[in-house]
Amino acid sequence: MLKIENLHARIAGKEILKGLSLEVNPGEVHAIMGPNGAGKSTLGNVLAGRPGYEVTAGSVSYDGRDLLTLEPEVRAAAGVFLAFQYPVEIPGVNNTYFLRAALNAQRKARGEEELDSMQFLKLVRGKVKDMGMPPDLLNRAVNEGFSGGEKKRNEVFQMALLEPRLAVLDETDSGLDIDALKQVADGVNALRSPDRAFVVITHYQRLLDYIVPDFVHVLSAGRIVESGDATLARELEAHGYAWVREQAHAEAQA
Amino acid sequence: MATQPDEVQAALSRRYTAGFVTDIETDSLPPGLDEGVVRAISARKGEPEWMTEWRLAAYRRWLTMKQPDWAHVNLAPIDYQAISYYSAPKNQPKSLAEVDPKILEAYDKLGVPLHERARLAGVAVDAVFDSVSVATTAREQLSKVGVIFCSMSEAIREHGDLVRQYLGSVVPQGDNFFAALNSAVFSDGSFVFIPKGVRCPMELSTYFRINAGHTGQFERTLIIAEEDAVVSYLEGCTAPMRDNNQLHAAVVELVAMDRANIKYSTVQNWYPGDENGKGGVYNLVTKRGDCRGADSRITWTQVETGSAITWKYPSVILRGDRSVGEFHSVALTNHYQQADTGTKMIHIGRDTKSKIVSKGISAGKSQASYRGLVKVEKGAVNARNHTRCDSILIGKRCSSHTFPYMEIKNPTAIVEHEATTSKISDDQLFYCRSRGIGEEDAVSMIVDGFCKQVFRELPMEFAVEAKKLLEVSLEGAIG
Ligand SMILES: Nc1ncnc2c1ncn2[C@@H]1O[C@H](COP(=O)(O)OP(=O)(O)O)[C@@H](O)[C@H]1O
Ligand SMILES: [Mg+2]
């Protein structure tokens, strides 16, 4: 469903991704781990289409389409979702209004019928309940005055509502206490299905105890330097990223 | 595909939907201004002599004054001899039934139907077409409770004593250059009188429309709320698209007696000129409210998206003890529009309070300035002011400025000022887009959120209107 080949990308003239390749199939969960500054968020942003990133080489295909030529909102309608590492606040914009605008814009783009406000309210209230979100969430402005943890949980909540086919979660676990972490993991696990895929970016192995990945990749200096199954995450936890870097270095020398 | 500010600017285009001209016969004075013209205006309106003399005094005062140049706008010299100071539809109606169908149609197109069937429920409308009032609706219903709502011309004829008592008592003739000019040549406007203890049973509304070319519009509005009276008043404005600049110099005076409450809202959508800065209305307005009585309250709420140049500072004089003044403003400028707007809060009485919320949105090559004065006089013990001034910039070539002035002569005053300037953040925009919301919808959503605090102050029907107006004004703001 997603095929990234030899991707090179820059921001502000600086090359961050330096030949990244990754293939994700429906139903799979891929974890991407790596030290700070490795380019993890850059990958998420390039996939979601954030302006300012320049792809200088390589390709990304999604369902056989060239993802890189699509506007961000078109990617969203096609089922690509990014849970932001730092979700922004949009003061004064009511959450319910925002979510309905988002869902209906996507539905419209896909040629599906838009939901009227009654239908939407019913749907969104149900999700609030399922996900154990505070009921006043719907009356508040988008992320305004939310704590760090609330913002992260709200990203997962949006994901549950929008039901994407490819979800990229960028450090959704960082800054969460153990209860919130479990809620986030429950949210993701509930959505796991044979035709949906996840790319879970994380700095820590902890999240992967709850969201068990099919594959773990180590991203370092703009490339995937190591891939394996869930046990790789534990090795990393034990040895640290320096170990991976040494290994990669040794390989390059050999 | 990226939202580069340059592309944002390149795509800035706006469609002005109120820009049509209505073809009717008019009775206009030739351009030019002298004592003869002032007398002619007064005569056309059948005014009593005291009114003619009042105008002439203002005219003589005006001759001694100079156009101010301190506002942060580039105002080309105005040739006051090139303007026609009076234009009225030829067939002046005596009642709504006699109003020229073309004029009714014009108001229909503007979304302000005047005829009985389609009228906005719960709103009485006074419609001013060029220099004169063409219709005032729902009058009988209002007069039952003693509320007077009519055109200024009629008030001068029918309620001369009231007009004489209050006219110029808040904005004196010599207050400023444009107020003096208005006092000399004002053609019409609305008059509202709410007697003691009456809560006006409906929203009152005036709709100003400039139709004729080369015409100045100089309307004069006077609202008086006696003890314990309550009134909410709204004005809306539009003008056809024309290449030349049209002058609009209005004066609005509000008087609130003990415990009276006046809410004055404006949705201003004068033609702003085209995307190259050609044409548009010069909106140079003096609006002032006088909280004359104790515990009175005056609230100005304005949503300004129009005019080539706006120069306007709705003010409140907090004379009565414990009186309250509020100013809530959204000003949007695009292309070459220039707005210098803000408020003045003059604290005179004890325990007086004022609150200022100003939201500026600038796009294109426009300039928006907030200019606010908070003045606390010696006797104003325990005066309180809170000012919050936020600006948001769309693109790189617009600018916003804040000029807060404070004059505090009483040490017990607490005056707080907060100001923020932000760009419509690329992060916010991308966040919305990544959820599937298109760029234009995202921009209007963010701007709408930014203005929420002010929209809440508008009467319900007009909040919807204001929101739509912003959407239209932002159309194509991002490409
Ligand atoms: N907008 C930007 N301008 C310049 N450099 C950036 C920008 N965003 C990220 N970077 C740089 O790119 C590198 C990778 O960042 P990022 O993808 O956020 O890493 P990670 O998510 O793995 O911590 C870092 O060195 C960071 O400083
Ligand atoms: Mg990151």
Side-chain angles (χ1 to χ4, degrees):
Chain A
M1 128 195 270
L2 178 73
K3 192 165 186 191
I4 305 173
E5 279 181 310
N6 186 36
L7 185 65
H8 289 253
R10 307 173 172 209
I11 176 107
K14 187 170 139 200
E15 182 156 74
I16 309 295
L17 298 183
K18 303 170 184 168
L20 185 145
S21 299
L22 178 70
E23 192 166 348
V24 178
N25 295 306
E28 293 175 352
V29 175
H30 291 247
I32 294 190
M33 304 182 71
N36 278 329
K40 302 186 296 294
S41 293
T42 302
L43 174 62
N45 286 328
V46 168
L47 292 179
R50 186 178 208 122
Y53 290 83
E54 190 193 348
V55 173
T56 51
S59 64
V60 180
S61 85
Y62 172 74
D63 282 346
R65 292 164 88 180
D66 178 359
L67 188 69
L68 299 176
T69 60
L70 306 179
E71 298 288 342
E73 56 271 29
V74 177
R75 301 183 196 197
V80 177
F81 180 90
L82 172 66
F84 287 68
Q85 183 172 4
Y86 305 108
V88 295
E89 303 194 0
I90 312 182
V93 176
N94 172 272
N95 240 324
T96 309
Y97 181 73
F98 175 79
L99 293 171
R100 183 168 161 227
L103 184 65
N104 276 340
Q106 292 197 16
R107 293 179 69 99
K108 195 171 165 194
R110 292 193 292 258
E112 297 164 13
E113 188 125 356
E114 295 178 49
L115 300 185
D116 66 29
S117 45
M118 290 313 287
Q119 290 169 316
F120 179 76
L121 268 181
K122 201 168 157 220
L123 174 73
V124 77
R125 286 194 181 130
K127 295 278 181 200
V128 166
K129 224 164 138 202
D130 293 349
M131 306 269 309
M133 301 299 285
D136 74 343
L137 174 81
L138 294 175
N139 306 325
R140 293 165 68 180
V142 180
N143 289 321
E144 195 183 23
F146 285 26
S147 70
E150 279 178 314
K151 284 182 186 167
K152 298 295 179 84
R153 286 185 56 203
N154 191 37
E155 293 294 288
V156 178
F157 172 71
Q158 290 185 10
M159 178 179 76
L161 184 79
L162 297 171
E163 303 187 313
R165 294 185 44 245
L166 172 68
V168 181
L169 284 77
D170 190 358
E171 297 207 27
T172 304
D173 54 331
S174 50
L176 295 187
D177 62 30
I178 191 71
D179 292 330
L181 184 78
K182 278 185 191 158
Q183 277 167 318
V184 163
D186 287 348
V188 172
N189 288 329
L191 278 180
R192 282 179 84 153
S193 82
D195 52 10
R196 187 173 284 138
F198 293 86
V199 174
V200 180
I201 294 170
T202 177
H203 196 67
Y204 306 102
Q205 188 263 334
R206 191 176 65 151
L207 177 68
L208 305 181
D209 288 340
Y210 301 98
I211 304 173
V212 181
D214 302 300
F215 302 94
V216 174
H217 310 276
V218 179
L219 179 59
S220 177
R223 294 172 54 196
I224 286 179
V225 293
E226 185 84 40
S227 294
D229 60 15
T231 57
L232 176 60
R234 263 169 238 130
E235 273 181 70
L236 274 174
E237 185 81 351
H239 301 291
Y241 289 113
W243 168 76
V244 182
R245 243 171 274 155
E246 272 159 33
Q247 289 226 318
H249 191 67
E251 258 170 55
Q253 301 274 298
Chain B
M1 70 169 244
T3 25
Q4 297 307 319
D6 280 349
E7 288 179 47
V8 171
Q9 294 311 326
L12 273 169
S13 76
R14 96 187 255 162
R15 261 159 279 158
Y16 186 74
T17 54
F20 59 89
V21 177
T22 304
D23 183 18
I24 47 156
E25 273 192 277
T26 58
D27 166 25
S28 304
L29 285 176
L33 182 56
D34 56 22
E35 287 205 4
V37 168
V38 175
R39 283 180 200 281
I41 293 170
S42 194
R44 282 270 199 304
K45 308 183 80 60
E47 287 176 355
E49 201 182 318
W50 65 265
M51 194 65 237
T52 314
E53 287 308 318
W54 196 85
R55 288 176 180 276
L56 286 169
Y59 174 69
R60 289 172 198 137
R61 190 74 190 264
W62 179 71
L63 286 177
T64 68
M65 299 172 87
K66 274 180 64 183
Q67 185 177 310
D69 60 1
W70 48 268
H72 199 260
V73 295
N74 301 314
L75 183 58
I78 297 171
D79 181 358
Y80 293 95
Q81 298 305 331
I83 295 169
S84 163
Y85 289 84
Y86 187 82
S87 169
K90 205 155 222 163
N91 302 310
Q92 289 232 30
K94 299 242 160 18
S95 73
L96 203 51
E98 291 174 27
V99 176
D100 189 325
K102 281 187 190 154
I103 293 181
L104 289 181
E105 199 185 303
Y107 281 96
D108 263 353
K109 269 199 232 173
L110 295 166
V112 190
L114 298 176
H115 46 88
E116 204 72 51
R117 280 168 292 125
R119 236 182 263 162
L120 295 168
V123 182
V125 181
D126 183 23
V128 177
F129 199 79
D130 290 332
S131 301
V132 297
S133 169
V134 292
T136 310
T137 67
R139 310 172 52 139
E140 290 102 84
Q141 209 181 332
L142 289 169
S143 66
K144 269 189 209 134
V145 290
V147 170
I148 303 171
F149 178 40
C150 63
S151 70
M152 190 55 113
S153 315
E154 187 182 331
I156 290 168
R157 289 191 305 265
E158 310 284 323
H159 310 282
D161 290 348
L162 278 175
V163 175
R164 213 169 166 176
Q165 184 184 346
Y166 289 102
L167 190 71
S169 74
V170 186
V171 180
Q173 293 181 335
D175 187 79
N176 67 70
F177 182 84
F178 298 110
L181 178 62
N182 174 287
S183 301
V185 303
F186 75 86
S187 36
D188 216 333
S190 297
F191 176 81
V192 176
F193 177 80
I194 317 285
K196 268 184 198 143
V198 172
R199 173 178 285 271
C200 188
M202 60 184 80
E203 298 278 343
L204 302 183
S205 164
T206 299
Y207 202 90
F208 296 107
R209 168 97 182 142
I210 301 180
N211 189 58
H214 298 281
T215 307
Q217 184 159 354
F218 304 91
E219 80 271 352
R220 184 103 194 177
T221 298
L222 175 58
I223 299 179
I224 303 144
E226 285 197 329
E227 288 78 359
D228 299 292
V230 178
V231 62
S232 168
Y233 179 93
L234 184 124
E235 63 167 36
C237 336
T238 55
M241 298 191 224
R242 292 188 186 280
D243 288 346
N244 57 317
N245 294 104
Q246 289 169 294
L247 179 62
H248 174 251
V251 172
V252 176
E253 298 178 278
L254 312 181
V255 180
M257 306 308 284
D258 288 354
R259 297 170 303 279
N261 184 340
I262 302 177
K263 213 175 144 88
Y264 191 106
S265 313
T266 307
V267 175
Q268 187 262 113
N269 183 26
W270 294 118
Y271 180 51
D274 68 11
E275 56 275 13
N276 301 311
K278 199 158 191 270
V281 172
Y282 289 172
N283 187 32
L284 314 164
V285 173
T286 306
K287 290 183 164 175
R288 194 172 304 153
D290 188 355
C291 282
R292 216 164 271 185
D295 300 289
S296 56
R297 174 189 283 263
I298 289 178
T299 305
W300 296 102
T301 302
Q302 58 174 33
V303 175
E304 307 262 332
T305 65
S307 299
I309 292 179
T310 298
W311 181 91
K312 158 173 180 191
Y313 318 91
S315 312
V316 184
I317 301 168
L318 298 153
R319 206 183 298 279
D321 291 344
R322 297 174 303 282
S323 58
V324 179
E326 293 189 28
F327 173 74
H328 306 269
S329 166
V330 166
L332 180 144
T333 54
N334 199 352
H335 302 312
Y336 287 86
Q337 278 176 274
Q338 307 173 55
D340 193 300
T341 177
T343 182
K344 294 179 200 161
M345 294 290 174
I346 316 291
H347 293 255
I348 298 173
R350 303 172 60 98
D351 301 303
T352 47
K353 277 196 206 125
S354 61
K355 178 177 169 188
I356 299 169
V357 180
S358 162
K359 304 273 182 179
I361 303 147
S362 332
K365 294 177 183 159
S366 66
Q367 280 187 26
S369 303
Y370 168 82
R371 190 184 300 277
L373 169 69
V374 177
K375 191 166 174 179
V376 178
E377 299 287 7
K378 261 211 185 75
V381 181
N382 287 328
R384 298 283 178 269
N385 165 267
H386 185 92
T387 300
R388 185 180 172 106
C389 217
D390 299 322
S391 349
I392 198 165
L393 307 176
I394 305 178
K396 268 193 196 143
R397 277 177 287 182
C398 52
S399 59
S400 101
H401 311 267
T402 304
F403 304 98
Y405 304 91
M406 284 175 212
E407 282 174 41
I408 316 292
K409 297 189 185 141
N410 185 303
T412 59
I414 298 181
V415 174
E416 298 165 305
H417 181 93
E418 290 174 69
T420 66
T421 300
S422 54
K423 271 188 48 106
I424 270 229
S425 101
D426 292 341
D427 290 348
Q428 289 174 332
L429 211 51
F430 177 60
Y431 191 76
C432 295
R433 296 181 73 195
S434 79
R435 297 301 180 249
I437 300 167
E439 240 173 343
E440 284 198 0
D441 291 340
V443 169
S444 59
M445 191 183 266
I446 294 166
V447 168
D448 181 44
F450 175 76
C451 301
K452 227 356 114 45
Q453 233 181 327
V454 173
F455 286 174
R456 267 202 292 263
E457 295 296 324
L458 286 173
M460 254 294 262
E461 309 85 334
F462 299 112
V464 176
E465 182 90 346
K467 200 176 144 174
K468 268 197 255 155
L469 199 55
L470 279 195
E471 267 164 35
V472 172
S473 305
L474 283 167
E475 223 163 74
I478 297 258

